[in-house]
């Protein structure tokens, strides 16, 4: 066991502050990674403030962060996937027993034995729960470490480990491609990645937004058209024309308005998670044999596929790079939607602590 500098929250109302946490020494299958950048996800804020208490009670002190990019500093004797000096990433998962049907199919994100990067029981006993990427280093089983294309900007790569795979996976699963009309609802941390991927897949991309000021940015990111969803005439113009819609909004909204945008056999996939349940009109689905689903991150093989695709197409997240010392300010700005489009923590700033 060794000690690693980190930023942690001591309670639901405490600001994140400098701390020291234990990390295990690498076992035969482990890789140790020096963390260079860590993205800031809204899930980090929810967890730090115990806002998921009914489902996932926070154990304090907690160290958030599951969008991790770094460099391998040590490998176990049985590791074959990576070597010292390689760039590596860690997303939302750090372990699973890999023997369940989901794992065998490459869908570790559905495994009942999954161990999340933070907040899960630490099966190694190093700490009561797993600690995330707001820290100097992390140790994970090599299966859960990902290769990072060397040509990409590392600060922009970090959010790909959550926001990237969260949007890539449903677009791939529903076979989005050339000749299709695809809608992206919301232009935030998730939505802006959905635009980039849908465009790279060859689809005609339309962004739905409530903010007129986001039109230019949507076009810059790759959208062909922008629809102001509060404008009834604009919505009516596109009704019944979409093959696929990716809904990336976590605020309450009328899902039926977007189901009406689908053509027959069209599909809408949810990646945003509003706090209150949707009221869904059965008629919005019945007329046209439309379908609705949800999606969460992706398996390890698909995440590696996504990273390789990003390397080939030079795709990264649009980020604002900040030092770890500004994490509490970043959380407040995140609540206001004041970031384009993800924060990326420069973990070199932690060395000054």
């Amino acid at each position: 066991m060794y000690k690693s500098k980190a930023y942690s929250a001591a309670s639901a109302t405490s600001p994140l502050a400098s701390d020291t946490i234990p990390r295990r020494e690498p076992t035969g299958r482990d890789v140790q990674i020096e963390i260079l950048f860590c993205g800031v996800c809204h899930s980090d804020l929810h967890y730090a403030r115990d806002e998921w208490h009914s489902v996932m009670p926070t154990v304090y002190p907690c160290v958030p962060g599951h969008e991790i990019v770094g460099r391998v500093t040590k490998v176990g004797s049985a590791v074959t996937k990576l070597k010292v000096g390689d760039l590596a990433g860690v997303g939302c998962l750090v372990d699973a027993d890999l023997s369940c049907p989901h794992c065998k199919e490459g869908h570790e994100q559905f495994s009942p034995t999954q161990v999340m990067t933070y907040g899960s029981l630490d099966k190694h006993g190093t700490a009561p729960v797993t600690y995330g990427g707001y820290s100097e280093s992390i140790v994970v089983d090599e299966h859960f470490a990902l290769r990072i294309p060397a040509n990409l900007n590392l600060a922009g790569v970090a959010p790909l480990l959550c926001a990237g795979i969260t949007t890539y996976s449903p677009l791939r699963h529903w076979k989005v491609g050339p000749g299709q009309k695809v809608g992206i609802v919301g232009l935030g941390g998730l939505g802006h990645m959905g635009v980039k991927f849908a465009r790279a897949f060859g689809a005609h991309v339309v962004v739905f937004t409530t903010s007129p000021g986001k039109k230019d940015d949507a076009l810059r990111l790759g959208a062909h058209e922008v629809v102001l969803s509060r404008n009834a005439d604009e919505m009516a113009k596109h009704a019944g024309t979409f093959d696929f819609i990716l809904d990336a909004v976590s605020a309450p909204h009328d899902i039926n308005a977007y189901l009406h945008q689908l053509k027959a056999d069209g599909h809408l996939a949810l990646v945003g998670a509003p706090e209150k349940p949707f009221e869904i009109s059965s008629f919005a689905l019945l007329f046209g044999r439309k379908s609705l689903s949800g999606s969460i991150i992706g398996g390890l093989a698909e995440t590696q596929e996504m990273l390789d695709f990003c390397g080939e197409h030079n795709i990264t997240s649009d980020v604002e790079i900040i030092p770890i010392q500004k994490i509490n300010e970043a959380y407040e700005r995140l609540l206001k939607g004041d970031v384009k489009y993800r924060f990326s923590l420069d973990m070199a700033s932690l060395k000054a602590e």
Side-chain angles (χ1 to χ4, degrees):
M1 187 182 300
Y2 68 96
K3 298 291 185 179
S4 177
K5 290 182 179 179
Y7 257 56
S8 70
S11 73
T13 56
S14 301
L16 276 82
S18 183
D19 197 0
T20 302
I21 60 171
R23 293 292 196 193
R24 71 178 184 271
E25 291 292 339
T27 66
R29 287 178 47 83
D30 284 339
V31 294
Q32 180 177 303
I33 301 168
E34 177 192 6
I35 300 173
L36 302 177
F37 291 94
C38 184
V40 178
C41 178
H42 212 116
S43 300
D44 298 348
L45 186 156
H46 288 309
Y47 182 66
R49 297 185 176 181
D50 200 21
E51 292 174 355
W52 289 339
H53 185 84
S54 61
V55 178
M56 181 182 172
T58 303
V59 176
Y60 296 98
C62 73
V63 179
H66 57 210
E67 299 178 342
I68 299 165
V69 171
R71 194 171 297 279
V72 176
T73 55
K74 189 181 292 187
V75 298
S77 59
V79 171
T80 59
K81 186 175 177 181
L82 293 159
K83 64 182 185 302
V84 171
D86 285 350
L87 294 172
V90 177
C92 300
L93 304 175
V94 292
D95 216 335
D97 70 11
L98 303 181
S99 65
C100 78
H102 296 301
C103 289
K104 289 180 178 179
E105 293 173 357
H107 301 308
E108 296 91 344
Q109 75 273 29
F110 304 139
S111 173
T113 68
Q114 66 174 245
V115 177
M116 292 184 289
T117 306
Y118 57 79
S120 285
L121 180 67
D122 186 345
K123 60 187 288 186
H124 296 273
T126 312
V129 294
T130 52
Y131 293 140
Y134 294 5
S135 55
E136 279 185 307
S137 68
I138 192 168
V139 178
V140 300
D141 183 290
E142 69 166 334
H143 182 80
F144 294 86
L146 298 144
R147 297 181 302 277
I148 303 297
N151 62 304
L152 297 178
N153 176 274
L154 296 184
V157 168
L160 297 180
L161 277 303
C162 179
I165 187 57
T166 295
T167 50
Y168 181 94
S169 184
L171 290 166
R172 268 295 191 239
H173 179 77
W174 293 99
K175 297 179 172 59
V176 165
Q180 292 187 322
K181 184 175 179 180
V182 172
I184 307 294
V185 184
L187 194 67
L190 292 175
H192 94 287
M193 290 307 310
V195 172
K196 292 186 179 190
F197 285 134
R199 179 64 183 255
F201 294 160
H204 181 86
V205 184
V206 181
V207 167
F208 292 96
T209 180
T210 59
S211 306
K214 289 189 175 181
K215 181 176 181 178
D216 289 344
D217 230 21
L219 296 173
R220 175 186 66 81
L221 290 164
H224 295 91
E225 299 180 69
V226 180
V227 173
L228 296 177
S229 54
R230 289 175 178 160
N231 185 312
D233 290 339
E234 289 191 29
M235 293 290 281
K237 175 184 173 184
H238 290 271
T241 65
F242 285 85
D243 297 280
F244 180 88
I245 294 176
L246 185 73
D247 188 331
V249 174
S250 292
H253 60 288
D254 180 13
I255 194 71
N256 300 296
Y258 299 103
L259 291 173
H260 286 301
Q261 297 294 307
L262 295 171
K263 62 169 58 172
D265 288 323
H267 185 83
L268 190 153
L270 298 171
V271 291
E275 182 180 353
K276 296 182 179 179
F278 286 116
E279 291 187 5
I280 298 171
S281 165
S282 58
F283 292 104
L285 295 172
L286 294 172
F287 287 93
R289 198 166 55 194
K290 300 166 187 177
S291 57
L292 172 67
S293 72
S295 185
I296 186 168
I297 56 172
L300 273 297
E302 187 175 48
T303 305
Q304 187 63 63
E305 175 191 306
M306 178 270 304
L307 289 167
D308 294 341
F309 182 88
C310 288
E312 293 168 11
H313 296 269
N314 198 30
I315 295 173
T316 56
S317 180
D318 282 27
V319 297
E320 179 180 336
I321 303 171
I322 61 171
I324 188 68
Q325 291 80 5
K326 289 191 176 181
I327 185 60
N328 295 299
E329 176 187 328
Y331 276 9
E332 295 307 312
R333 288 179 55 192
L334 196 60
L335 288 171
K336 301 173 185 176
D338 180 24
V339 57
K340 287 187 176 180
Y341 281 89
R342 302 286 276 203
F343 289 113
S344 188
L345 297 172
D346 181 352
M347 301 309 295
S349 59
L350 191 56
K351 297 182 186 303
E353 292 289 328

